[in-house]
Amino acid sequence: MNDKIHIFANMTKPGSAEALERAESVAAELGLRAKTYLSAIDMFAAGSEEPPRCIVTLGGDGTVLRAVSAAVNNGFSVDVPILGINLGKIGFFSETDIDGFKSALKSFIAGDYRIEEASMLKAVIDDVGEFHCLNDFMVAKKGFSSVSHVEVSVDGFSMGVIHGDGIVFSSSTGSTGYSISAGGPVVAPNLDVILVTPICPHSLTARPVVASFDSTVRVTAKSECVLHSDGVQLMTIPEKTTFTVRKSEQTVKFIRIGERNIFRLIRDKLV
């Protein structure tokens, strides 16, 4: 039986050193060989040689997003399930805190768990390449005092040019991220869609759109903008640049021990 696990730790979080020591101790107590990484790329490169049984992330939602982004945008697949330990404020991706880690890991070893598979999006930019995200892509204005001008169409049907601070293109998983703060809807976990949510639009008619997950969203920058993926700035988009957002072939698997009520999580976390 594979007794190897990887721990990806965000050491910038308060209490992370103590939590990491406890996590490594729990793994050893339960007969698992834990190897800790502070670099997601190094972790996934090592995993390609001898894949671990699972990846334990120690941090917050940003830690999970950085790990996944580093993997899929550098040629690696996230084939191993993730068990998140939350050290942050929100922790939508996490399954437990450090106090509950031993119990959660015991359940995983015993096979008393289920896998929640999260779909991803990809942005394809001609002459540049493609990028993948778990939560969202954001096209934002270049500077604080400027305005973005972005034309969007869904499956060939134009939404027109949206003027404002930018636009968020999110997956169902990302509906509880930046999109919800910009006025987008909450999407139930069993429904795959692409959300198009304007950020502070300069028009009352620019409203969030829910598109089929099989849709192709075409984006044309009518002004110089900046493209972000899961909160990380990717590149400056010159005026007249066109790219597409569609479903990705990549998915991310999360280890779930108990039932999750996304609506209760929102009530409890977003206060």
Side-chain angles (χ1 to χ4, degrees), residues 82-151:
I82 294 173
L83 177 61
I85 301 176
N86 183 38
L87 299 182
K89 176 176 181 279
I90 306 299
F92 274 116
F93 293 129
S94 300
E95 182 60 24
T96 184
D97 56 18
I98 189 61
D99 291 332
F101 176 56
K102 183 175 182 178
S103 175
L105 196 56
K106 275 185 175 180
S107 295
F108 174 67
I109 294 171
D112 185 18
Y113 69 96
R114 62 185 177 84
I115 293 294
E116 179 184 284
E117 194 162 6
S119 300
M120 300 183 69
L121 298 178
K122 70 177 177 181
V124 181
I125 306 174
D126 291 342
D127 301 323
V128 176
E130 64 181 42
F131 304 95
H132 301 256
C133 73
L134 176 57
N135 258 7
D136 50 49
F137 292 110
M138 178 180 67
V139 177
K141 61 185 183 179
K142 185 70 182 298
F144 178 77
S145 61
S146 62
V147 176
S148 66
H149 308 278
V150 183
E151 184 176 12

Coordinates of all heavy atoms in Angstrom, one line a residue, residues 82-151:
I82 N -6.6 16.1 -2.9 CA -6.1 17.1 -2.0 C -7.0 17.1 -0.7 O -8.2 17.1 -0.7 CB -6.2 18.6 -2.6 CG1 -5.2 18.6 -3.8 CG2 -5.9 19.6 -1.6 CD1 -5.3 19.9 -4.6
L83 N -6.3 17.1 0.4 CA -6.9 17.2 1.8 C -6.4 18.5 2.4 O -5.2 18.7 2.7 CB -6.5 16.1 2.6 CG -7.0 16.1 4.1 CD1 -8.6 16.1 4.1 CD2 -6.5 14.9 4.9
G84 N -7.3 19.5 2.5 CA -6.9 20.8 2.9 C -7.1 21.0 4.4 O -8.1 20.7 5.0
I85 N -6.0 21.6 5.1 CA -6.0 22.0 6.4 C -6.1 23.5 6.4 O -5.2 24.2 5.9 CB -4.8 21.6 7.2 CG1 -4.6 20.0 7.2 CG2 -4.8 22.1 8.7 CD1 -3.3 19.6 7.9
N86 N -7.1 24.1 7.0 CA -7.3 25.5 7.0 C -6.6 26.3 8.1 O -6.9 26.0 9.3 CB -8.8 25.8 7.0 CG -9.1 27.3 6.8 OD1 -8.4 28.0 6.1 ND2 -10.1 27.8 7.6
L87 N -5.8 27.2 7.7 CA -5.2 28.1 8.7 C -5.6 29.5 8.4 O -5.1 30.5 9.1 CB -3.6 28.0 8.6 CG -3.0 26.7 8.9 CD1 -1.4 26.8 8.8 CD2 -3.4 26.2 10.3
G88 N -6.5 29.7 7.4 CA -6.9 31.1 7.0 C -8.2 31.4 7.6 O -8.8 30.8 8.5
K89 N -8.9 32.5 7.0 CA -10.1 33.0 7.4 C -11.3 32.2 6.8 O -12.3 31.9 7.5 CB -10.2 34.5 7.1 CG -11.6 35.1 7.5 CD -11.6 36.6 7.2 CE -12.9 37.2 7.6 NZ -13.9 37.1 6.6
I90 N -11.3 32.0 5.5 CA -12.4 31.4 4.8 C -12.4 29.9 4.8 O -13.1 29.2 5.5 CB -12.6 32.0 3.4 CG1 -12.6 33.5 3.5 CG2 -13.8 31.4 2.8 CD1 -13.7 34.1 4.2
G91 N -11.5 29.3 4.0 CA -11.3 27.9 4.0 C -12.4 27.1 3.2 O -12.7 26.0 3.7
F92 N -12.9 27.6 2.1 CA -13.9 26.9 1.4 C -13.3 25.6 0.8 O -14.1 24.6 0.7 CB -14.4 27.7 0.2 CG -15.5 28.7 0.6 CD1 -15.4 30.0 0.5 CD2 -16.8 28.2 1.0 CE1 -16.4 30.9 0.8 CE2 -17.8 29.0 1.3 CZ -17.6 30.4 1.2
F93 N -12.1 25.6 0.4 CA -11.5 24.4 -0.1 C -11.1 23.3 0.9 O -10.9 22.2 0.6 CB -10.3 24.7 -1.0 CG -10.6 25.5 -2.2 CD1 -9.9 26.7 -2.5 CD2 -11.5 25.1 -3.1 CE1 -10.1 27.4 -3.6 CE2 -11.8 25.8 -4.2 CZ -11.1 27.0 -4.5
S94 N -10.9 23.8 2.1 CA -10.3 22.9 3.2 C -11.4 22.0 3.7 O -12.6 22.3 3.7 CB -9.7 23.8 4.3 OG -8.7 24.6 3.8
E95 N -10.9 20.9 4.3 CA -11.8 19.9 4.9 C -11.8 19.9 6.4 O -12.7 19.5 7.1 CB -11.4 18.5 4.4 CG -12.3 17.4 4.9 CD -13.8 17.5 4.5 OE1 -14.1 18.2 3.4 OE2 -14.7 17.0 5.1
T96 N -10.7 20.4 6.9 CA -10.5 20.4 8.4 C -9.6 21.5 8.9 O -8.9 22.2 8.0 CB -10.0 19.0 8.9 OG1 -9.9 19.0 10.3 CG2 -8.6 18.8 8.3
D97 N -9.5 21.7 10.2 CA -8.4 22.5 10.7 C -7.4 21.6 11.3 O -7.5 20.4 11.2 CB -9.0 23.5 11.8 CG -9.8 22.8 12.9 OD1 -9.6 21.6 13.1 OD2 -10.5 23.5 13.6
I98 N -6.3 22.2 11.9 CA -5.3 21.3 12.4 C -5.7 20.4 13.5 O -5.2 19.3 13.7 CB -4.0 22.2 12.8 CG1 -2.8 21.3 13.1 CG2 -4.4 23.1 14.0 CD1 -2.4 20.4 11.9
D99 N -6.7 20.9 14.3 CA -7.2 20.0 15.4 C -7.9 18.8 14.9 O -7.9 17.8 15.6 CB -8.1 20.9 16.3 CG -7.3 21.9 17.1 OD1 -6.1 21.7 17.4 OD2 -7.9 23.0 17.4
G100 N -8.6 18.9 13.8 CA -9.3 17.8 13.2 C -8.6 17.0 12.2 O -9.1 16.0 11.6
F101 N -7.3 17.3 12.0 CA -6.5 16.6 10.9 C -6.3 15.1 11.2 O -6.5 14.3 10.3 CB -5.2 17.3 10.8 CG -4.3 16.7 9.8 CD1 -4.7 16.5 8.5 CD2 -3.0 16.2 10.1 CE1 -3.9 15.9 7.5 CE2 -2.2 15.6 9.2 CZ -2.6 15.4 7.9
K102 N -6.0 14.8 12.4 CA -5.8 13.4 12.7 C -7.0 12.5 12.4 O -7.0 11.5 11.8 CB -5.4 13.2 14.2 CG -5.1 11.7 14.6 CD -4.6 11.6 16.0 CE -4.2 10.2 16.4 NZ -3.6 10.1 17.8
S103 N -8.2 13.0 12.8 CA -9.4 12.3 12.6 C -9.7 12.2 11.1 O -10.1 11.1 10.5 CB -10.6 13.0 13.3 OG -11.8 12.4 12.9
A104 N -9.5 13.3 10.3 CA -9.7 13.3 8.9 C -8.8 12.3 8.2 O -9.2 11.6 7.3 CB -9.6 14.7 8.3
L105 N -7.5 12.3 8.6 CA -6.5 11.5 7.9 C -6.8 10.0 8.2 O -6.6 9.1 7.4 CB -5.1 11.8 8.4 CG -3.9 11.3 7.6 CD1 -4.1 11.7 6.1 CD2 -2.6 11.7 8.1
K106 N -7.3 9.7 9.5 CA -7.7 8.4 9.8 C -8.8 7.9 8.9 O -8.8 6.7 8.4 CB -8.1 8.3 11.3 CG -7.1 8.1 12.3 CD -7.7 7.9 13.7 CE -6.7 7.6 14.7 NZ -7.3 7.4 16.1
S107 N -9.8 8.7 8.7 CA -10.9 8.4 7.8 C -10.4 8.1 6.4 O -10.9 7.2 5.7 CB -12.0 9.5 7.8 OG -12.6 9.6 9.1
F108 N -9.5 9.0 5.9 CA -9.0 8.8 4.6 C -8.3 7.4 4.4 O -8.5 6.7 3.5 CB -8.0 9.9 4.2 CG -7.3 9.8 2.9 CD1 -8.0 9.8 1.7 CD2 -5.9 9.5 2.9 CE1 -7.3 9.6 0.5 CE2 -5.3 9.4 1.7 CZ -5.9 9.4 0.5
I109 N -7.4 7.1 5.4 CA -6.7 5.8 5.4 C -7.7 4.7 5.4 O -7.5 3.7 4.7 CB -5.7 5.8 6.6 CG1 -4.6 6.8 6.4 CG2 -5.1 4.4 6.7 CD1 -3.7 6.9 7.7
A110 N -8.8 4.8 6.1 CA -9.7 3.7 6.3 C -10.7 3.6 5.0 O -11.5 2.7 4.9 CB -10.6 3.9 7.5
G111 N -10.6 4.6 4.1 CA -11.4 4.6 3.0 C -12.8 5.2 3.2 O -13.7 5.1 2.4
D112 N -12.9 5.8 4.4 CA -14.2 6.4 4.7 C -14.3 7.9 4.3 O -14.2 8.8 5.1 CB -14.4 6.3 6.2 CG -15.8 6.8 6.7 OD1 -16.7 6.9 5.8 OD2 -16.0 7.1 7.9
Y113 N -14.3 8.1 3.0 CA -14.3 9.4 2.4 C -14.9 9.4 1.0 O -15.2 8.3 0.5 CB -12.9 10.0 2.3 CG -12.0 9.3 1.3 CD1 -11.8 9.8 0.0 CD2 -11.4 8.1 1.6 CE1 -11.1 9.2 -0.9 CE2 -10.6 7.4 0.7 CZ -10.4 8.0 -0.6 OH -9.7 7.3 -1.5
R114 N -15.1 10.6 0.5 CA -15.6 10.6 -0.9 C -14.7 11.7 -1.6 O -14.1 12.5 -1.0 CB -17.1 11.0 -1.0 CG -17.4 12.3 -0.5 CD -18.9 12.6 -0.5 NE -19.2 13.9 0.1 CZ -19.2 15.1 -0.5 NH1 -18.8 15.1 -1.8 NH2 -19.5 16.2 0.2
I115 N -14.7 11.6 -3.0 CA -14.0 12.6 -3.8 C -14.9 13.6 -4.4 O -15.9 13.2 -5.0 CB -13.2 11.9 -4.9 CG1 -12.1 11.0 -4.3 CG2 -12.6 12.9 -5.8 CD1 -11.0 11.8 -3.6
E116 N -14.6 14.9 -4.2 CA -15.4 16.0 -4.8 C -14.5 16.5 -6.0 O -13.4 17.0 -5.7 CB -15.7 17.1 -3.8 CG -16.4 18.2 -4.4 CD -16.6 19.3 -3.4 OE1 -17.5 19.2 -2.5 OE2 -15.9 20.3 -3.4
E117 N -15.0 16.3 -7.2 CA -14.2 16.7 -8.3 C -14.6 18.1 -8.8 O -15.8 18.3 -9.1 CB -14.3 15.7 -9.5 CG -13.3 15.9 -10.6 CD -13.2 14.6 -11.4 OE1 -14.0 13.7 -11.2 OE2 -12.3 14.6 -12.2
A118 N -13.7 19.1 -8.8 CA -14.0 20.4 -9.2 C -13.5 20.7 -10.6 O -12.3 20.4 -11.0 CB -13.3 21.4 -8.3
S119 N -14.4 21.2 -11.5 CA -14.0 21.6 -12.8 C -13.2 22.9 -12.9 O -13.3 23.7 -12.0 CB -15.3 21.7 -13.7 OG -16.0 20.5 -13.7
M120 N -12.4 23.0 -14.0 CA -11.6 24.2 -14.2 C -11.9 24.9 -15.5 O -12.6 24.3 -16.3 CB -10.1 23.8 -14.1 CG -9.7 23.1 -12.8 SD -7.9 22.8 -12.8 CE -7.2 24.4 -12.7
L121 N -11.4 26.1 -15.6 CA -11.6 26.9 -16.9 C -10.2 27.1 -17.5 O -9.2 27.0 -16.8 CB -12.2 28.2 -16.6 CG -13.6 28.3 -16.0 CD1 -14.0 29.7 -15.8 CD2 -14.6 27.6 -17.0
K122 N -10.2 27.3 -18.8 CA -8.9 27.7 -19.4 C -9.1 28.9 -20.3 O -10.2 29.1 -20.9 CB -8.3 26.5 -20.2 CG -9.1 26.1 -21.5 CD -8.4 25.0 -22.2 CE -9.1 24.5 -23.5 NZ -8.4 23.4 -24.2
A123 N -8.1 29.7 -20.4 CA -8.1 30.9 -21.3 C -7.1 30.6 -22.4 O -5.9 30.2 -22.1 CB -7.8 32.2 -20.6
V124 N -7.5 30.7 -23.7 CA -6.6 30.5 -24.8 C -6.3 31.8 -25.5 O -7.3 32.4 -26.0 CB -7.2 29.4 -25.7 CG1 -6.3 29.2 -26.9 CG2 -7.6 28.1 -25.0
I125 N -5.1 32.2 -25.5 CA -4.6 33.4 -26.2 C -3.7 33.1 -27.3 O -2.7 32.5 -27.1 CB -3.9 34.3 -25.1 CG1 -4.8 34.5 -23.9 CG2 -3.6 35.7 -25.8 CD1 -4.1 35.3 -22.8
D126 N -4.1 33.5 -28.5 CA -3.3 33.2 -29.7 C -1.9 33.8 -29.6 O -1.7 34.9 -29.1 CB -4.0 33.8 -31.0 CG -5.3 33.1 -31.3 OD1 -5.5 32.0 -30.9 OD2 -6.1 33.7 -32.1
D127 N -0.9 33.0 -30.0 CA 0.5 33.4 -30.0 C 1.1 33.5 -28.6 O 2.2 33.9 -28.5 CB 0.7 34.7 -30.8 CG 0.3 34.6 -32.2 OD1 0.5 33.5 -32.8 OD2 -0.3 35.6 -32.7
V128 N 0.3 33.2 -27.6 CA 0.8 33.2 -26.2 C 0.7 31.8 -25.6 O 1.7 31.3 -25.0 CB 0.0 34.2 -25.4 CG1 0.5 34.2 -23.9 CG2 0.2 35.6 -25.9
G129 N -0.5 31.2 -25.6 CA -0.7 29.9 -25.1 C -2.0 29.8 -24.3 O -2.9 30.6 -24.5
E130 N -2.1 28.8 -23.4 CA -3.3 28.7 -22.6 C -3.0 28.6 -21.1 O -1.9 28.2 -20.7 CB -4.1 27.5 -23.1 CG -3.4 26.1 -22.8 CD -4.2 25.0 -23.3 OE1 -4.8 25.1 -24.4 OE2 -4.3 23.9 -22.6
F131 N -3.9 29.1 -20.3 CA -3.8 29.2 -18.9 C -5.0 28.5 -18.3 O -6.1 28.6 -18.9 CB -3.7 30.6 -18.4 CG -2.5 31.4 -19.0 CD1 -2.8 32.2 -20.1 CD2 -1.3 31.3 -18.5 CE1 -1.7 32.9 -20.7 CE2 -0.2 32.0 -19.0 CZ -0.4 32.8 -20.1
H132 N -4.8 27.9 -17.1 CA -6.0 27.2 -16.5 C -6.2 27.8 -15.1 O -5.2 28.3 -14.4 CB -5.7 25.7 -16.3 CG -5.4 25.0 -17.6 ND1 -6.3 24.2 -18.2 CD2 -4.3 25.0 -18.4 CE1 -5.8 23.7 -19.4 NE2 -4.6 24.2 -19.5
C133 N -7.4 27.8 -14.7 CA -7.7 28.3 -13.3 C -8.8 27.4 -12.7 O -9.6 26.8 -13.3 CB -8.2 29.8 -13.4 SG -9.9 30.0 -14.0
L134 N -8.8 27.4 -11.3 CA -9.8 26.7 -10.6 C -10.9 27.6 -10.2 O -12.1 27.2 -10.3 CB -9.1 26.1 -9.3 CG -10.0 25.4 -8.3 CD1 -10.8 24.2 -9.0 CD2 -9.3 24.9 -7.1
N135 N -10.7 28.8 -9.8 CA -11.7 29.7 -9.4 C -12.1 30.7 -10.6 O -13.3 30.6 -11.0 CB -11.2 30.6 -8.3 CG -11.8 30.2 -6.9 OD1 -12.5 29.1 -6.8 ND2 -11.6 30.9 -5.9
D136 N -11.2 31.5 -11.0 CA -11.6 32.5 -12.0 C -10.5 33.2 -12.7 O -9.3 33.2 -12.3 CB -12.4 33.6 -11.3 CG -11.8 34.2 -10.1 OD1 -10.6 34.5 -10.1 OD2 -12.4 34.3 -9.0
F137 N -10.8 33.7 -13.9 CA -10.0 34.7 -14.6 C -10.6 36.0 -14.4 O -11.8 36.2 -14.4 CB -9.9 34.4 -16.1 CG -9.2 33.1 -16.5 CD1 -9.9 32.0 -17.0 CD2 -7.8 33.0 -16.3 CE1 -9.2 30.8 -17.3 CE2 -7.2 31.8 -16.7 CZ -7.9 30.7 -17.1
M138 N -9.8 37.0 -14.4 CA -10.3 38.4 -14.3 C -9.6 39.3 -15.3 O -8.3 39.3 -15.3 CB -10.1 39.0 -12.9 CG -10.6 40.4 -12.7 SD -10.4 41.1 -11.1 CE -8.6 41.2 -10.9
V139 N -10.3 40.0 -16.1 CA -9.8 41.0 -16.9 C -10.1 42.4 -16.2 O -11.2 42.7 -16.0 CB -10.5 41.0 -18.3 CG1 -9.9 42.2 -19.2 CG2 -10.2 39.7 -19.0
A140 N -9.0 43.1 -15.9 CA -9.2 44.3 -15.0 C -8.6 45.5 -15.7 O -7.7 45.4 -16.6 CB -8.5 44.1 -13.7
K141 N -9.0 46.7 -15.3 CA -8.5 47.9 -15.8 C -7.0 48.0 -15.5 O -6.5 47.4 -14.5 CB -9.3 49.1 -15.3 CG -9.3 49.2 -13.7 CD -10.2 50.3 -13.3 CE -10.1 50.5 -11.7 NZ -10.9 51.6 -11.3
K142 N -6.3 48.8 -16.3 CA -4.9 48.9 -16.1 C -4.4 49.7 -14.9 O -3.5 49.3 -14.2 CB -4.3 49.6 -17.4 CG -2.7 49.7 -17.4 CD -2.1 48.3 -17.6 CE -0.6 48.3 -17.6 NZ 0.0 49.1 -18.6
G143 N -5.2 50.7 -14.6 CA -4.8 51.6 -13.4 C -6.0 51.9 -12.6 O -7.1 51.7 -13.0
F144 N -5.7 52.4 -11.4 CA -6.8 52.7 -10.4 C -7.8 53.7 -11.0 O -9.0 53.5 -10.8 CB -6.2 53.3 -9.1 CG -7.2 53.6 -8.1 CD1 -7.8 52.6 -7.3 CD2 -7.6 55.0 -7.9 CE1 -8.8 53.0 -6.4 CE2 -8.5 55.3 -6.9 CZ -9.1 54.3 -6.2
S145 N -7.3 54.7 -11.7 CA -8.3 55.8 -12.1 C -8.8 55.5 -13.6 O -9.5 56.3 -14.1 CB -7.6 57.1 -12.1 OG -6.4 57.2 -12.9
S146 N -8.4 54.4 -14.2 CA -8.8 54.1 -15.6 C -10.1 53.3 -15.6 O -10.6 52.9 -14.5 CB -7.7 53.4 -16.3 OG -7.4 52.2 -15.7
V147 N -10.5 53.0 -16.8 CA -11.7 52.2 -17.0 C -11.4 51.2 -18.1 O -10.7 51.4 -19.0 CB -12.9 53.1 -17.5 CG1 -14.1 52.2 -17.8 CG2 -13.3 54.1 -16.5
S148 N -11.8 49.9 -17.8 CA -11.7 48.9 -18.8 C -12.8 48.9 -19.8 O -14.0 49.2 -19.4 CB -11.5 47.5 -18.2 OG -12.8 47.2 -17.5
H149 N -12.5 48.6 -21.0 CA -13.5 48.5 -22.1 C -13.4 47.1 -22.7 O -12.4 46.9 -23.4 CB -13.4 49.6 -23.1 CG -13.3 51.0 -22.5 ND1 -14.4 51.7 -22.1 CD2 -12.2 51.7 -22.2 CE1 -14.0 52.8 -21.6 NE2 -12.7 52.9 -21.7
V150 N -14.3 46.2 -22.5 CA -14.1 44.8 -22.9 C -15.4 44.3 -23.6 O -16.5 44.4 -23.0 CB -13.8 43.9 -21.7 CG1 -13.6 42.4 -22.1 CG2 -12.6 44.4 -20.9
E151 N -15.2 43.8 -24.8 CA -16.3 43.2 -25.5 C -16.4 41.7 -25.2 O -15.4 41.0 -25.3 CB -16.2 43.5 -27.0 CG -17.4 42.9 -27.8 CD -17.3 43.3 -29.3 OE1 -16.2 43.7 -29.7 OE2 -18.3 43.1 -30.0

